[in-house]
Amino acid sequence: MNLHEYQSKRRFEEFGIPIPHGRVAETPQEARQIAGEIGGPVVVKAQVLTGGRGKAGGVKLARTVEEAESHAAAILGMDIKGHIVRQVLIDPASNINQEIYLGITNDRAARKPVIMCSAEGGMDIEEVNRVKPEAIIREHIDPLLGLRDYQVNALATGIELPYELWRQFSRIAHGLWQCYTGSDATLCEINPLIITAEGELLAVDGKMSIDDNGLFRHPDLASQRDTSAEPEPETRAREADLSYVKLDGQIGCMVNGAGLAMATMDMTSIYGEADGIGPANFLDIGGGADAETVAAALRIILADPDVKAILLNIFGGITRADEVARGVIQAFADFDTEIPKVVRLVGTNEEEGRRLLEEAHIPNMTTASTLSVAAQKAVAAVKGA
Ligand code: GDP
Ligand code: MN
């Protein structure tokens, strides 16, 4: 899960990192009022979960309240790389002498977090890494030891930070590390961390990504999720506790267990390859697939216009196959759909499960006893559609 700039910066502040004290507006009038309360020049900044807002015209300096209002009017509703701007952050403007990059992320290859710093801040760090990798100073952090002072000093030396700023810089780097571990983050980034004309360090941009698997420990962060910024099926899947990833094929797959879901996707890809047919999604409905879960999954699959056939591949283990069958029957009874369905149901009580399914006479449903046959039937159904 990604946090907006204003959310990230407020989180940073909790860890002692200095930020400009602005507020979020949803209308130009609100922007004007906030600018008036701040007094003096402000920056109007699009709050969207993507980078490069500056280049896209989503960050504008306003000297007067009228300008703040008109910039907000221009930025609100803007489409930045497919993200519609619904909020703008109004921050007091800063006088920038230098822009620094400071970020922490996980380095999977090194199996450690890495803190990175560059004097070439402000612009896209991936671009800096591409054209001038030596301009990025990296220090790997031992997760048990944490960030050490000598590492912070190495960063400060590497970017030739004026010595008067070292103490402030150290507080910020340690704060960022505390924020990173204390939030179960996979990214904490300040770009730019500026040196102001007054000789202070200030985090004027912020970005945080939180590991979804750690979110249960941070209800305060979880509640900040901007669901308007994510595809609706993903929101609904998460709310129903389903793992869902949209793909570009035509077979809507509903499977219990991530491994079985992967195998099902592979099989549909293999049998469909010659005809350009494949899975429309990855969907794991989990272990205890009751009627409600099946129905939630069905709703998500049926809402996808690319889906031309549905393949249910369910292994009844702890959840018995007859239970699953009842769930499937009930769910399909609620959806009057002609779409072809192929069901493979095996495991505990499978005979009972299959009998229930046959007796239910669900329109356009066939069953299969092996995954291979089920996948072939699903591919054939798409071809026939
Ligand atoms: P991004 O483009 O999405 O990374 O958005 P940023 O918040 O990093 O803003 C882009 C650029 O706008 C920064 O690199 C700065 O050069 C500039 N900028 C942002 N805030 C201020 C400010 O308060 N004053 C001035 N003069 N420039 C700013
Ligand atoms: Mn930035």
Side-chain angles (χ1 to χ4, degrees), residues 291-332:
E292 216 173 294
T293 313
V294 174
L298 256 186
R299 225 171 281 132
I300 291 164
I301 290 181
L302 289 174
D304 180 353
D306 296 339
V307 170
K308 301 287 179 270
I310 299 178
L311 170 52
L312 280 98
N313 186 21
I314 305 288
F315 183 85
I318 296 165
T319 318
R320 303 188 324 267
D322 56 322
E323 275 292 307
V324 177
R326 285 193 187 90
V328 170
I329 292 163
Q330 197 184 316
F332 274 119

Side-chain angles (χ1 to χ4, degrees), residues 127-256:
E127 182 65 9
V128 178
N129 189 39
R130 202 174 59 79
V131 300
K132 206 176 164 194
E134 69 279 5
I136 304 174
I137 321 296
R138 297 174 174 82
E139 287 286 331
H140 284 95
I141 303 173
D142 184 314
L144 299 178
L145 297 175
L147 179 65
R148 314 307 293 174
D149 284 331
Y150 76 86
Q151 298 182 303
V152 178
N153 293 347
L155 298 179
T157 309
I159 62 162
E160 296 177 18
L161 187 74
Y163 193 67
E164 331 59 279
L165 294 172
W166 278 35
R167 189 192 281 274
Q168 270 190 60
F169 180 73
S170 175
R171 268 205 302 272
I172 292 171
H174 284 291
L176 199 65
W177 168 246
Q178 293 304 331
C179 180
Y180 185 80
T181 54
S183 312
D184 287 308
T186 54
L187 177 75
C188 279
E189 186 181 84
I190 307 174
N191 189 23
L193 174 67
I194 61 163
I195 304 177
T196 65
E198 297 76 29
E200 303 282 339
L201 287 172
L202 190 67
V204 300
D205 189 12
K207 185 175 174 189
M208 277 184 80
S209 304
I210 317 287
D211 184 342
D212 282 341
N213 294 312
L215 268 182
F216 74 99
R217 302 204 281 203
H218 309 286
D220 52 329
L221 294 175
S223 67
Q224 294 188 51
R225 187 190 289 272
D226 180 359
T227 50
S228 73
E230 69 182 357
E232 202 199 311
E234 276 166 37
T235 310
R236 283 201 268 157
R238 197 184 49 257
E239 282 165 4
D241 254 332
L242 308 166
S243 307
Y244 174 83
V245 180
K246 165 93 176 105
L247 302 167
D248 52 16
Q250 309 82 350
I251 299 173
C253 300
M254 190 193 304
V255 190
N256 64 338

